[in-house]
Short mmCIF file of all heavy atoms in Angstrom, two decimals:
data_model
loop_
_atom_site.label_atom_id
_atom_site.label_comp_id
_atom_site.label_asym_id
_atom_site.label_seq_id
_atom_site.Cartn_x
_atom_site.Cartn_y
_atom_site.Cartn_z
N PRO A 1 13.02 -16.59 2.21
CA PRO A 1 13.21 -17.15 0.92
C PRO A 1 11.97 -17.90 0.28
O PRO A 1 11.78 -18.13 -0.90
CB PRO A 1 14.33 -18.15 1.26
CG PRO A 1 14.94 -17.55 2.38
CD PRO A 1 13.93 -16.84 3.21
N SER A 2 11.13 -18.50 1.14
CA SER A 2 9.93 -19.16 0.73
C SER A 2 9.04 -18.26 -0.03
O SER A 2 8.13 -18.79 -0.82
CB SER A 2 9.24 -19.83 1.94
OG SER A 2 8.82 -18.75 2.84
N ALA A 3 9.05 -17.07 0.05
CA ALA A 3 8.21 -16.08 -0.57
C ALA A 3 8.57 -15.95 -2.01
O ALA A 3 7.80 -15.49 -2.86
CB ALA A 3 8.21 -14.66 0.05
N GLU A 4 9.80 -16.34 -2.35
CA GLU A 4 10.32 -16.23 -3.75
C GLU A 4 10.18 -14.86 -4.31
O GLU A 4 9.80 -14.60 -5.46
CB GLU A 4 9.69 -17.35 -4.63
CG GLU A 4 9.88 -18.75 -4.17
CD GLU A 4 9.35 -19.71 -5.11
OE1 GLU A 4 8.38 -19.44 -5.93
OE2 GLU A 4 9.70 -20.94 -5.06
N ARG A 5 10.52 -13.90 -3.52
CA ARG A 5 10.55 -12.43 -4.01
C ARG A 5 11.92 -11.92 -3.76
O ARG A 5 12.52 -12.09 -2.67
CB ARG A 5 9.57 -11.71 -3.23
CG ARG A 5 8.08 -12.02 -3.54
CD ARG A 5 7.08 -11.22 -2.74
NE ARG A 5 7.13 -9.80 -3.10
CZ ARG A 5 6.33 -8.84 -2.57
NH1 ARG A 5 5.29 -9.17 -1.75
NH2 ARG A 5 6.31 -7.58 -3.09
N ASN A 6 12.37 -11.22 -4.60
CA ASN A 6 13.73 -10.44 -4.59
C ASN A 6 13.45 -9.01 -4.22
O ASN A 6 13.13 -8.24 -5.14
CB ASN A 6 14.54 -10.66 -5.87
CG ASN A 6 15.84 -10.13 -5.79
OD1 ASN A 6 16.20 -9.11 -5.21
ND2 ASN A 6 16.82 -10.95 -6.44
N ALA A 7 13.76 -8.72 -2.93
CA ALA A 7 13.37 -7.36 -2.42
C ALA A 7 14.19 -6.22 -3.18
O ALA A 7 13.75 -5.23 -3.50
CB ALA A 7 13.62 -7.24 -1.00
N ILE A 8 15.50 -6.49 -3.35
CA ILE A 8 16.35 -5.43 -4.05
C ILE A 8 15.94 -5.37 -5.48
O ILE A 8 15.90 -4.23 -5.99
CB ILE A 8 17.81 -5.94 -3.83
CG1 ILE A 8 18.27 -5.96 -2.46
CG2 ILE A 8 18.75 -4.92 -4.68
CD1 ILE A 8 19.66 -6.42 -2.19
N ALA A 9 15.68 -6.46 -6.11
CA ALA A 9 15.26 -6.35 -7.59
C ALA A 9 13.94 -5.58 -7.64
O ALA A 9 13.79 -4.76 -8.58
CB ALA A 9 15.07 -7.64 -8.15
N GLU A 10 13.01 -5.76 -6.72
CA GLU A 10 11.82 -5.07 -6.76
C GLU A 10 11.98 -3.59 -6.47
O GLU A 10 11.38 -2.71 -7.16
CB GLU A 10 10.77 -5.63 -5.70
CG GLU A 10 10.31 -7.00 -6.14
CD GLU A 10 9.29 -7.50 -5.04
OE1 GLU A 10 8.74 -6.73 -4.17
OE2 GLU A 10 8.98 -8.83 -5.10
N TYR A 11 12.87 -3.22 -5.61
CA TYR A 11 13.19 -1.84 -5.28
C TYR A 11 13.80 -1.22 -6.61
O TYR A 11 13.25 -0.05 -6.93
CB TYR A 11 14.21 -1.77 -4.12
CG TYR A 11 15.02 -0.45 -4.14
CD1 TYR A 11 14.42 0.68 -3.58
CD2 TYR A 11 16.24 -0.28 -4.53
CE1 TYR A 11 15.11 1.90 -3.55
CE2 TYR A 11 17.01 0.86 -4.67
CZ TYR A 11 16.36 2.08 -4.02
OH TYR A 11 17.01 3.17 -3.92
N ARG A 12 14.65 -1.90 -7.25
CA ARG A 12 15.33 -1.30 -8.45
C ARG A 12 14.33 -1.11 -9.63
O ARG A 12 14.42 -0.26 -10.37
CB ARG A 12 16.43 -2.13 -8.92
CG ARG A 12 17.70 -1.92 -7.96
CD ARG A 12 18.80 -2.99 -8.25
NE ARG A 12 19.93 -2.95 -7.44
CZ ARG A 12 20.76 -3.83 -7.19
NH1 ARG A 12 20.72 -5.06 -7.83
NH2 ARG A 12 21.81 -3.67 -6.26
N GLY A 13 13.27 -2.02 -9.61
CA GLY A 13 12.28 -1.92 -10.54
C GLY A 13 11.34 -0.79 -10.39
O GLY A 13 10.97 -0.06 -11.28
N ALA A 14 11.03 -0.52 -9.15
CA ALA A 14 10.04 0.63 -8.81
C ALA A 14 10.10 0.93 -7.25
O ALA A 14 9.90 0.03 -6.51
CB ALA A 14 8.64 0.27 -9.14
N HIS A 15 10.41 2.20 -6.96
CA HIS A 15 10.44 2.61 -5.44
C HIS A 15 9.86 4.04 -5.52
O HIS A 15 9.78 4.72 -6.51
CB HIS A 15 11.73 2.41 -4.91
CG HIS A 15 12.83 3.24 -5.56
ND1 HIS A 15 13.67 2.73 -6.52
CD2 HIS A 15 13.17 4.67 -5.67
CE1 HIS A 15 14.54 3.66 -6.98
NE2 HIS A 15 14.12 4.73 -6.54
N ILE A 16 9.46 4.35 -4.24
CA ILE A 16 9.00 5.77 -4.11
C ILE A 16 10.26 6.72 -4.41
O ILE A 16 11.30 6.58 -4.00
CB ILE A 16 8.49 6.00 -2.61
CG1 ILE A 16 7.31 5.15 -2.52
CG2 ILE A 16 8.28 7.39 -2.33
CD1 ILE A 16 6.76 5.15 -0.98
N PRO A 17 9.98 7.90 -5.20
CA PRO A 17 11.05 8.74 -5.52
C PRO A 17 11.89 9.14 -4.43
O PRO A 17 11.50 9.62 -3.49
CB PRO A 17 10.30 9.90 -6.19
CG PRO A 17 9.02 9.25 -6.75
CD PRO A 17 8.64 8.31 -5.76
N GLY A 18 13.18 9.08 -4.58
CA GLY A 18 14.14 9.42 -3.57
C GLY A 18 14.43 8.40 -2.59
O GLY A 18 15.29 8.75 -1.76
N ALA A 19 13.86 7.25 -2.62
CA ALA A 19 13.98 6.32 -1.41
C ALA A 19 15.26 5.55 -1.74
O ALA A 19 15.57 5.15 -2.72
CB ALA A 19 12.72 5.27 -1.56
N VAL A 20 15.99 5.44 -0.55
CA VAL A 20 17.16 4.57 -0.54
C VAL A 20 16.64 3.20 -0.12
O VAL A 20 15.61 2.91 0.48
CB VAL A 20 18.29 5.09 0.32
CG1 VAL A 20 18.78 6.42 -0.13
CG2 VAL A 20 17.77 5.27 1.82
N TYR A 21 17.48 2.19 -0.35
CA TYR A 21 17.21 0.77 0.10
C TYR A 21 18.03 0.47 1.20
O TYR A 21 19.20 0.49 1.26
CB TYR A 21 17.55 -0.21 -1.07
CG TYR A 21 17.18 -1.69 -0.68
CD1 TYR A 21 15.89 -2.04 -0.61
CD2 TYR A 21 18.18 -2.48 -0.27
CE1 TYR A 21 15.43 -3.32 -0.22
CE2 TYR A 21 17.77 -3.83 0.15
CZ TYR A 21 16.40 -4.21 0.11
OH TYR A 21 16.08 -5.38 0.56
N PHE A 22 17.25 0.07 2.32
CA PHE A 22 17.83 -0.44 3.56
C PHE A 22 17.74 -1.96 3.56
O PHE A 22 16.74 -2.49 3.63
CB PHE A 22 17.04 0.18 4.73
CG PHE A 22 17.49 -0.01 6.12
CD1 PHE A 22 18.19 1.00 6.75
CD2 PHE A 22 17.57 -1.25 6.75
CE1 PHE A 22 18.73 0.82 8.08
CE2 PHE A 22 18.07 -1.50 8.06
CZ PHE A 22 18.67 -0.43 8.66
N ASP A 23 19.04 -2.47 3.51
CA ASP A 23 19.18 -3.92 3.62
C ASP A 23 19.17 -4.42 4.99
O ASP A 23 20.20 -4.34 5.63
CB ASP A 23 20.50 -4.30 2.90
CG ASP A 23 20.56 -5.86 2.53
OD1 ASP A 23 20.03 -6.61 3.38
OD2 ASP A 23 21.02 -6.12 1.46
N LEU A 24 18.08 -5.02 5.37
CA LEU A 24 18.02 -5.58 6.73
C LEU A 24 19.12 -6.51 7.11
O LEU A 24 19.53 -6.62 8.19
CB LEU A 24 16.63 -6.08 7.06
CG LEU A 24 16.21 -6.61 8.43
CD1 LEU A 24 16.38 -5.43 9.39
CD2 LEU A 24 14.84 -7.18 8.39
N ASP A 25 19.53 -7.36 6.20
CA ASP A 25 20.53 -8.43 6.46
C ASP A 25 21.89 -7.66 6.68
O ASP A 25 22.60 -8.15 7.60
CB ASP A 25 20.66 -9.41 5.22
CG ASP A 25 19.40 -10.23 5.14
OD1 ASP A 25 18.90 -10.69 6.29
OD2 ASP A 25 18.92 -10.63 4.03
N VAL A 26 22.19 -6.68 5.93
CA VAL A 26 23.38 -5.93 6.04
C VAL A 26 23.43 -5.18 7.38
O VAL A 26 24.48 -5.15 8.05
CB VAL A 26 23.65 -4.93 4.91
CG1 VAL A 26 24.85 -4.03 5.11
CG2 VAL A 26 23.92 -5.77 3.46
N ALA A 27 22.29 -4.69 7.78
CA ALA A 27 22.21 -4.00 9.01
C ALA A 27 22.10 -4.54 10.29
O ALA A 27 21.79 -4.22 11.33
CB ALA A 27 20.99 -2.89 8.87
N SER A 28 22.09 -5.99 10.10
CA SER A 28 22.07 -6.94 11.28
C SER A 28 23.53 -7.34 11.74
O SER A 28 24.49 -7.07 10.94
CB SER A 28 21.13 -8.13 11.08
OG SER A 28 19.86 -7.74 10.69
N ASP A 29 23.60 -7.87 12.90
CA ASP A 29 24.82 -8.35 13.40
C ASP A 29 25.26 -9.68 12.72
O ASP A 29 24.76 -10.75 13.03
CB ASP A 29 24.73 -8.68 14.95
CG ASP A 29 26.04 -9.04 15.42
OD1 ASP A 29 27.09 -9.19 14.82
OD2 ASP A 29 26.07 -9.46 16.71
N ARG A 30 26.10 -9.48 11.66
CA ARG A 30 26.54 -10.60 10.93
C ARG A 30 27.48 -11.57 11.48
O ARG A 30 27.71 -12.65 11.02
CB ARG A 30 27.04 -10.13 9.51
CG ARG A 30 25.92 -9.57 8.63
CD ARG A 30 26.40 -9.02 7.31
NE ARG A 30 26.94 -7.62 7.57
CZ ARG A 30 27.74 -6.86 6.67
NH1 ARG A 30 27.87 -7.40 5.39
NH2 ARG A 30 28.13 -5.73 6.90
N SER A 31 27.87 -11.24 12.82
CA SER A 31 28.81 -12.19 13.50
C SER A 31 27.95 -13.11 14.33
O SER A 31 28.47 -14.03 14.85
CB SER A 31 29.78 -11.40 14.40
OG SER A 31 29.05 -10.71 15.46
N SER A 32 26.61 -12.78 14.40
CA SER A 32 25.74 -13.71 15.24
C SER A 32 25.27 -14.94 14.57
O SER A 32 25.07 -14.76 13.35
CB SER A 32 24.55 -12.82 15.67
OG SER A 32 23.55 -13.67 16.42
N PRO A 33 25.18 -15.99 15.12
CA PRO A 33 24.57 -17.23 14.48
C PRO A 33 23.12 -17.15 14.28
O PRO A 33 22.52 -17.92 13.45
CB PRO A 33 24.95 -18.34 15.51
CG PRO A 33 24.94 -17.69 16.81
CD PRO A 33 25.55 -16.25 16.55
N LEU A 34 22.43 -16.11 14.87
CA LEU A 34 21.04 -15.94 14.67
C LEU A 34 20.77 -14.80 13.59
O LEU A 34 21.56 -13.85 13.52
CB LEU A 34 20.47 -15.49 16.08
CG LEU A 34 20.58 -16.53 17.13
CD1 LEU A 34 20.13 -15.79 18.47
CD2 LEU A 34 19.83 -17.68 16.86
N PRO A 35 19.71 -14.96 12.84
CA PRO A 35 19.39 -13.94 11.90
C PRO A 35 18.86 -12.65 12.49
O PRO A 35 18.23 -12.75 13.52
CB PRO A 35 18.31 -14.62 10.97
CG PRO A 35 17.67 -15.54 11.87
CD PRO A 35 18.66 -16.06 12.86
N HIS A 36 19.21 -11.51 11.96
CA HIS A 36 18.61 -10.25 12.17
C HIS A 36 18.74 -9.71 13.68
O HIS A 36 17.89 -8.95 14.04
CB HIS A 36 17.02 -10.29 11.85
CG HIS A 36 16.84 -10.76 10.47
ND1 HIS A 36 16.01 -11.69 10.16
CD2 HIS A 36 17.47 -10.34 9.29
CE1 HIS A 36 16.06 -11.91 8.80
NE2 HIS A 36 16.92 -11.18 8.34
N THR A 37 19.76 -10.09 14.32
CA THR A 37 19.99 -9.59 15.66
C THR A 37 20.50 -8.11 15.48
O THR A 37 21.20 -7.81 14.49
CB THR A 37 20.99 -10.44 16.45
OG1 THR A 37 22.14 -10.75 15.64
CG2 THR A 37 20.25 -11.77 16.85
N MET A 38 20.42 -7.39 16.51
CA MET A 38 20.83 -5.86 16.49
C MET A 38 22.33 -5.79 16.32
O MET A 38 23.03 -6.51 17.05
CB MET A 38 20.25 -5.25 17.71
CG MET A 38 18.75 -5.01 17.78
SD MET A 38 18.33 -3.56 16.66
CE MET A 38 18.47 -2.17 17.78
N PRO A 39 22.65 -4.91 15.45
CA PRO A 39 24.16 -4.62 15.30
C PRO A 39 24.55 -3.64 16.50
O PRO A 39 23.68 -3.20 17.26
CB PRO A 39 24.29 -3.94 14.02
CG PRO A 39 22.94 -3.20 13.90
CD PRO A 39 21.83 -4.12 14.54
N GLY A 40 25.85 -3.41 16.63
CA GLY A 40 26.30 -2.44 17.59
C GLY A 40 25.90 -1.07 17.08
O GLY A 40 25.69 -0.76 15.91
N ALA A 41 25.92 -0.09 18.11
CA ALA A 41 25.56 1.36 17.74
C ALA A 41 26.47 1.84 16.68
O ALA A 41 26.07 2.57 15.76
CB ALA A 41 25.58 2.21 18.96
N ALA A 42 27.75 1.65 16.72
CA ALA A 42 28.70 2.16 15.75
C ALA A 42 28.44 1.64 14.34
O ALA A 42 28.44 2.33 13.35
CB ALA A 42 30.13 1.84 16.10
N GLU A 43 28.01 0.28 14.21
CA GLU A 43 27.78 -0.36 12.99
C GLU A 43 26.59 0.26 12.32
O GLU A 43 26.42 0.56 11.17
CB GLU A 43 27.68 -1.81 13.15
CG GLU A 43 28.95 -2.50 13.39
CD GLU A 43 29.52 -2.39 14.88
OE1 GLU A 43 28.71 -1.99 15.78
OE2 GLU A 43 30.60 -2.63 15.09
#
């Protein structure tokens, strides 16, 4: 947050053709109290 950059907005503004956006927060274990811990294999 201290960087004051919006990664998703930057992606929507300009990305490499065909690139999908991988949201690191969504792909982490959101049940963990710690940020960015690994999700389960199924998730």
Side-chain angles (χ1 to χ4, degrees):
S2 59
E4 298 183 343
R5 293 180 66 176
N6 186 320
I8 297 177
E10 289 183 17
Y11 162 78
R12 291 172 178 158
H15 56 259
I16 292 175
V20 295
Y21 182 73
F22 188 104
D23 192 325
L24 185 57
D25 291 319
V26 172
S28 300
D29 181 2
R30 286 175 282 175
S31 69
S32 172
L34 301 171
H36 308 129
T37 51
M38 287 284 271
E43 289 76 16

